[in-house]
Amino acid sequence: MELDRIIHEPARLRILTILSGLDVADFAFLCTTLGLTKGNLSSHMDRLEKAGYIEVRKSFNGKIPHTDYRLTQDGREQLAAYWAGLEAIRALRDQPPEPPIEEGD
Amino acid sequence: MAAKVPNRSSDAFADPREIAKWAGRYAKNRTIPFLIQWICIVMLGVFIAAVVFLTLRAYRSENVLWILLCAAGIVGMIVAMAWFIVPKWGGDRIYRISQWIYGEEGYAAYLGGSGESIKASSWVYAAGIGLAAYHLLGVLLIAGRYLPFQYTQPFSALYMVPFFIAMTITQRLGFWAFIWPVLYGLHAVLILLGVPIRFTDVNLEILNMIVPVFGYGLVAILVGHLFSRYALHRLKALVRQGLVETAEAESEDQS
């Protein structure tokens, strides 16, 4: 079973899952909610943006820079596919082992 | 991009639907902008009352100073109302004040709540005009003595309750926004049943409208705010469950 490696990273999975329940969130919200350092979060967001999973909008609140993030349609679809894939893996794992084939049957 | 990887990250990860759900609940219950609007409206109300008082004083005294004060008050009132009504002025300022209050907590908007996804349909405008027309009709009915004064609030509730419930649903606001119409409707029912919850003093008659409108509004806003604190607490607990921060995101991927 193949899973999207970009999404599979724990912090990025959580970022995308949070964004899937929201319209838009800013950098500060994600940083405090996830408890990540700014540098680490920034690195994750760069990767997600490059993958086309999130849309970044930069603006200014007066003189203070402000960055908003939004899940793209592709990001939403890939995240849904990821969870479906993971469910499939879990289902396989939870299946009872097949009984051994007896000789002479 | 796709890679064969073991189920590494998600065994300790809570149900993703819970995370998305609590994120949405938190965003829907961020009521600080509504609290600022509430304060602005109350201040505007006090300002209008002061201007009316000044006007009466100027009319009675015929004093030039009072008349000038009254004129300045009217100009100030118009400016304040324009500031509040025009989204580019008041809306932007309210947004910035809210952001300042939320501080490091940051900004999050629920699906459709950032103002870009929801476009007010024509029925919303029609219902808003209807709201004003209905209350004008109420004033005329009271003035013509067709409607007893003590039934002003129930008369108002007949339109306001369904209107605000419909608005809450269409604007996809949190559960807190239902509190106001429910309490306002209950208040009307209690008055119709004759429960003594009215101000009976003639001078305080206006409070029979002001207290339910603003009092229940404040209750709803504060309940929403408290729930947003709880939702954020739940969200953080869910998200941080099993999440160990790596030194750098890149090194994590390369491993």
Side-chain angles (χ1 to χ4, degrees):
Chain A
M1 186 63 65
E2 290 185 351
L3 293 172
D4 188 326
R5 195 163 182 171
I6 290 179
I7 297 178
H8 194 59
E9 198 286 326
R12 286 199 287 272
L13 180 57
R14 283 157 172 80
I15 291 165
L16 290 178
T17 311
I18 290 173
L19 287 176
S20 72
L22 298 171
D23 191 6
V24 63
D26 71 0
F27 188 86
F29 174 73
L30 292 172
C31 204
T32 52
T33 304
L34 288 152
L36 298 173
T37 62
K38 287 181 181 176
N40 202 350
L41 178 63
S42 187
S43 177
H44 286 307
M45 301 318 273
D46 278 348
R47 289 214 62 166
L48 290 170
E49 188 191 7
K50 278 175 191 161
Y53 295 167
I54 58 165
E55 178 191 324
V56 183
R57 190 179 294 182
K58 295 186 185 225
S59 60
F60 279 88
N61 276 347
K63 289 180 180 178
I64 303 162
H66 188 256
T67 312
D68 281 330
Y69 300 98
R70 192 188 296 260
L71 203 59
T72 61
Q73 189 55 38
D74 186 35
R76 203 168 287 279
E77 286 166 7
Q78 294 296 329
L79 183 65
Y82 173 86
W83 285 116
L86 204 63
E87 282 302 312
I89 290 173
R90 281 178 175 159
L92 280 173
R93 189 186 61 186
D94 296 342
Q95 270 182 358
E98 287 183 15
I101 301 165
E102 289 180 19
E103 284 181 23
D105 283 350
Chain B
M1 187 179 289
K4 283 187 179 179
V5 284
N7 190 359
R8 167 170 67 105
S9 67
S10 306
D11 275 343
F13 191 13
D15 186 342
R17 284 164 298 187
E18 285 293 302
I19 288 179
K21 199 191 289 177
W22 281 103
R25 281 176 181 163
Y26 162 74
K28 281 186 174 188
N29 287 283
R30 282 169 57 101
T31 52
I32 293 288
F34 292 95
L35 182 63
I36 296 167
Q37 283 183 40
W38 184 91
I39 292 168
C40 286
I41 292 168
V42 169
M43 283 169 64
L44 208 57
V46 171
F47 194 21
I48 290 167
V51 169
V52 169
F53 173 78
L54 273 175
T55 310
L56 285 172
R57 188 86 185 246
Y59 176 74
R60 282 173 190 158
S61 69
E62 293 180 3
N63 184 310
V64 178
L65 181 67
W66 282 113
I67 290 168
L68 285 173
L69 272 173
C70 168
I74 289 169
V75 170
M77 187 178 76
I78 291 166
V79 170
M81 285 180 85
W83 178 87
F84 186 70
I85 291 166
V86 178
K88 201 178 174 182
W89 301 333
D92 189 47
R93 183 61 60 185
I94 288 169
Y95 170 78
R96 286 188 186 192
I97 295 169
S98 309
Q99 287 296 92
W100 177 72
I101 293 171
Y102 278 115
E104 288 183 358
E105 192 174 307
Y107 172 72
Y110 57 93
L111 288 167
S114 63
E116 293 172 18
S117 311
I118 292 180
K119 284 185 180 174
S121 52
S122 51
W123 79 263
V124 174
Y125 292 113
I129 294 166
L131 179 80
Y134 180 80
H135 283 86
L136 188 65
L137 173 71
V139 171
L140 293 174
L141 288 174
I142 290 166
R145 296 182 187 278
Y146 294 107
L147 177 71
F149 204 81
Q150 66 263 34
Y151 296 133
T152 309
Q153 196 276 335
F155 178 83
S156 162
L158 210 59
Y159 195 105
M160 296 276 263
V161 171
F163 175 77
F164 273 90
I165 286 175
M167 288 296 284
T168 301
I169 293 167
T170 54
Q171 298 291 314
R172 302 176 206 158
L173 296 172
F175 80 96
W176 66 272
F178 286 105
I179 294 174
W180 188 88
V182 167
L183 290 178
Y184 199 70
L186 276 175
H187 190 99
V189 170
L190 291 175
I191 284 178
L192 289 174
L193 290 174
V195 179
I197 52 169
R198 294 185 73 255
F199 292 94
T200 47
D201 190 312
V202 178
N203 295 321
L204 301 176
E205 193 67 54
I206 191 73
L207 292 179
N208 288 313
M209 283 301 292
I210 289 174
V211 170
V213 168
F214 291 103
Y216 296 147
L218 186 61
V219 168
I221 288 166
L222 292 179
V223 168
H225 180 67
L226 288 176
F227 187 74
S228 79
R229 301 301 87 203
Y230 174 68
L232 185 61
H233 173 74
R234 283 292 306 270
L235 178 63
K236 282 182 178 176
L238 284 168
V239 164
R240 293 179 185 186
Q241 194 181 346
L243 180 66
V244 180
E245 188 173 355
T246 52
E248 277 303 323
E250 287 304 312
S251 64
E252 171 87 13
D253 295 325
Q254 286 159 10
S255 63

